[in-house]
Amino acid sequence: MQRVYRLKRRNDFRRVFRTGVSVANRQFVVYVAKRLEAGPARLGISVSRKLGKAVVRNRVKRLIKEVARHWMKHLRPQTDIVVIARNPVANMSYDQVKSSLRHVFYKANLFQSNPEKNKKE
């Protein structure tokens, strides 16, 4: 995922948790907060040690980043998003992660256009 789409600083995560709205399903919790500055949506990922060892956590983060990478231009601009992975994600395939993330993103009303229209990406 390109640097412009990443949410990295601790203060940014804290602001999203403090001012944002949360939406969840069994696999993910998503916090969403509006940003005053112009720019594309930014994504932060949080994976707890409870999920597994470093190899498992890094795999989960890679899956989430890859799914989100294809959707970044379809997300609402000026939005900060934090995705928290829950335990069931450790055993999920790419397609299962994509389906579950799509579900929770739709619940949070994050898409400004349909990400499934352009299948050629």
Side-chain angles (χ1 to χ4, degrees):
M1 188 171 12
Q2 294 175 356
R3 184 170 290 184
V4 71
Y5 298 128
R6 284 190 232 152
L7 195 64
K8 292 289 253 180
R9 293 188 357 225
R10 183 171 191 260
N11 283 339
D12 291 335
F13 274 84
R14 290 178 65 201
R15 183 183 54 77
V16 173
F17 288 135
R18 196 174 52 247
T19 64
V21 177
S22 69
V23 179
N25 63 8
R26 293 181 67 85
Q27 294 83 18
F28 297 103
V29 179
V30 174
Y31 283 86
V32 182
K34 288 295 280 181
R35 203 173 60 240
L36 296 178
E37 311 91 49
R42 298 187 302 174
L43 180 78
I45 300 170
S46 175
V47 181
S48 169
R49 283 189 187 165
K50 293 177 184 178
L51 204 66
K53 303 245 181 215
V55 173
V56 175
R57 295 194 309 267
N58 288 334
R59 179 183 173 275
V60 168
K61 286 189 270 189
R62 280 196 314 271
L63 285 173
I64 295 170
K65 284 179 195 175
E66 180 60 20
V67 169
R69 182 177 68 88
H70 294 290
W71 294 344
M72 291 314 285
K73 62 182 170 235
H74 301 285
L75 297 176
R76 296 193 182 284
Q78 292 183 303
T79 306
D80 285 342
I81 306 160
V82 174
V83 177
I84 301 173
R86 289 182 167 170
N87 263 346
V89 180
N91 303 319
M92 291 171 63
S93 70
Y94 173 81
D95 291 325
Q96 291 170 324
V97 169
K98 184 176 181 179
S99 174
S100 181
L101 260 182
R102 184 185 317 113
H103 171 254
V104 78
F105 275 32
Y106 272 118
K107 272 177 76 173
N109 196 23
L110 287 173
F111 293 116
Q112 68 178 1
S113 62
N114 188 358
E116 301 303 316
K117 270 187 181 175
N118 302 338
K119 286 283 190 178
K120 295 178 184 175
E121 296 176 24

